[in-house]
Amino acid sequence: FKPLPPMSDIYIRQPAFPLVWFYLGGGGVPCSLPRAEMALPDSPCDLPNGETAFPAVVELNVGGQVYVTRHRTLVAVPDSLLWDMFSRKKPKDLPKDSKGRFFLDRDGFLFRYILDYMRDLKLILPDYFPERCRLQREAEYFQLRELVGQLSAKEGKAGERWRSDQEEGDRDADKPSPATLSLPLASSASPSSDGTQARRSGYITVGYRGSYTIGRDCQADAKFRRVARITVCGKTSLAKEVFGENLNESRDPDRPPERYTSRYYLKFNFLEQAFDLLAEAGFHMLACSSTGTCAYASDQGEDKIWTSYTEYVFSRE
């Protein structure tokens, strides 16, 4: 080694063997550290003291639904997909949305059951849960073998219970009740006088928030109503009967048939189409309520934007 200049502050020399030598100016006393302690980590597992490159609290965007959970929850199940993503990979290697949240292109509403299972490794589902098959598919995607096994077992028990209830109901249907025997034969028919099956009565409320732009002095060049989303409120069974596949149940997927909900919305944005479906199901409009506000579209222009929220109440006797 060459002698140090008298006014130097620090020099670093790296010999062939795996040590790094430090020469501090003025003292001339060398010290050495192992090369491994001076190297930067190449992966989250190489950080000192068992630390990870991920934050302690992780934000996820799963199919548009935002979840916030601890990092240790995501790596609670070894060899699962989430464990592999958040323990073996770097944050920069994972896809993110525009706000920097880690993105997963899966069912965002069913992911809450996946996350609940990973918190305490227990499967707890509502009493009425029609999405069991879809949840099992999500568990298979996330490679949660224990959860897949529990869902398969519960699905088998549910199927056996349904078949036994169906058989018991068929046997009971073959036996006339005492009340039926005491009635005249003509009054035992359930269909209505016109030959159609009697439908349940009830109420459905349809709401929407719309906006439209009107030019100067309310003259031409008007941009007509723009409907963002049509909401449906009422009994779950009635809403499904009227709108069928056009009903989006993702915001309230496990609601029992006889319970009420205000979280459904339609998959289309045409208000008249909703009215047609209600009319075909025998509903009639009872009342309508609306509120509106007005504001200028911009500081320079004179176009006005009207925004309104409207609800229609329908009834079937």
Side-chain angles (χ1 to χ4, degrees):
F1 296 97
K2 297 181 180 179
L4 296 174
M7 299 301 294
S8 62
D9 292 330
I10 182 171
Y11 275 72
I12 301 177
R13 292 291 302 274
Q14 180 176 337
F17 47 89
L19 292 177
V20 177
W21 289 83
F22 290 83
Y23 286 91
L24 302 180
V29 179
C31 62
S32 63
L33 290 174
R35 185 179 181 85
E37 295 183 8
M38 300 300 298
L40 294 176
D42 295 331
S43 66
C45 300
D46 294 333
L47 291 177
N49 301 326
E51 297 179 357
T52 175
F54 292 94
V57 178
V58 180
E59 293 188 19
L60 303 174
N61 180 350
V62 185
Q65 298 296 313
V66 178
Y67 291 90
V68 181
T69 185
R70 292 181 178 273
H71 175 263
R72 64 186 183 188
T73 301
L74 298 175
V75 297
V77 181
D79 298 327
S80 64
L81 179 63
L82 293 174
W83 176 85
D84 181 73
M85 291 175 58
F86 292 94
S87 64
R88 291 185 173 180
K89 297 183 179 180
K90 300 179 182 179
K92 64 180 182 180
D93 297 333
L94 300 180
K96 298 180 181 179
D97 63 5
S98 58
K99 295 185 178 181
R101 295 181 289 241
F102 297 104
F103 179 75
L104 293 168
D105 190 15
R106 301 301 299 179
D107 193 315
F109 301 98
L110 291 178
F111 185 76
R112 60 174 174 170
Y113 300 106
I114 299 292
L115 196 59
D116 286 342
Y117 172 78
M118 299 189 68
R119 288 191 176 107
D120 51 15
L121 301 182
K122 293 182 180 179
L123 175 62
I124 300 177
L125 297 177
D127 295 334
Y128 180 80
F129 187 71
E131 307 290 339
R132 193 181 304 273
C133 293
R134 294 178 59 188
L135 179 59
Q136 181 175 344
R137 183 180 62 184
E138 295 298 308
E140 293 172 352
Y141 173 81
F142 288 105
Q143 302 174 15
L144 300 171
R145 299 180 181 85
E146 294 292 335
L147 180 57
V148 172
Q150 295 183 35
L151 288 170
S152 301
K154 287 181 176 292
E155 181 68 21
K157 293 180 180 178
E160 294 177 0
R161 184 169 59 255
W162 180 86
R163 285 192 296 270
S164 62
D165 294 342
Q166 185 73 13
E167 294 173 357
E168 183 177 354
D170 294 340
R171 290 194 299 267
D172 294 340
D174 296 336
K175 300 178 182 178
S177 63
T180 304
L181 293 175
S182 62
L183 294 175
L185 183 60
S187 62
S188 62
S190 59
S192 58
S193 58
D194 58 354
T196 60
Q197 189 72 21
R199 294 179 292 190
R200 290 174 293 180
S201 60
Y203 296 85
I204 290 181
T205 301
V206 176
Y208 80 95
R209 188 180 303 276
S211 63
Y212 55 91
T213 304
I214 298 181
R216 183 179 180 180
D217 298 330
C218 298
Q219 294 178 356
D221 195 23
K223 300 177 182 178
F224 293 97
R225 181 186 64 204
R226 181 175 62 87
V227 179
R229 178 176 292 179
I230 301 176
T231 60
V232 177
C233 308
K235 185 176 289 187
T236 301
S237 57
L238 281 179
K240 292 182 178 180
E241 175 193 340
V242 174
F243 298 106
E245 296 181 354
N246 295 313
L247 193 66
N248 193 323
E249 309 171 39
S250 57
R251 295 179 61 189
D252 202 0
D254 48 6
R255 179 69 60 175
E258 299 305 317
R259 298 290 297 274
Y260 290 83
T261 181
S262 59
R263 299 176 61 84
Y264 288 166
Y265 62 93
L266 300 180
K267 298 179 180 179
F268 53 80
N269 294 333
F270 299 101
L271 196 61
E272 291 74 16
Q273 185 177 353
F275 291 169
D276 288 341
L277 294 175
L278 286 163
E280 293 173 1
F283 282 82
H284 301 276
M285 184 185 298
L286 292 182
C288 172
S289 175
S290 180
T291 60
T293 59
C294 177
Y296 284 99
S298 62
D299 297 336
Q300 292 79 16
E302 297 184 1
D303 291 347
K304 294 181 180 180
I305 297 180
W306 288 84
T307 303
S308 64
Y309 178 74
T310 308
E311 286 187 343
Y312 302 91
V313 181
F314 291 82
S315 172
R316 184 172 68 184
E317 301 294 339

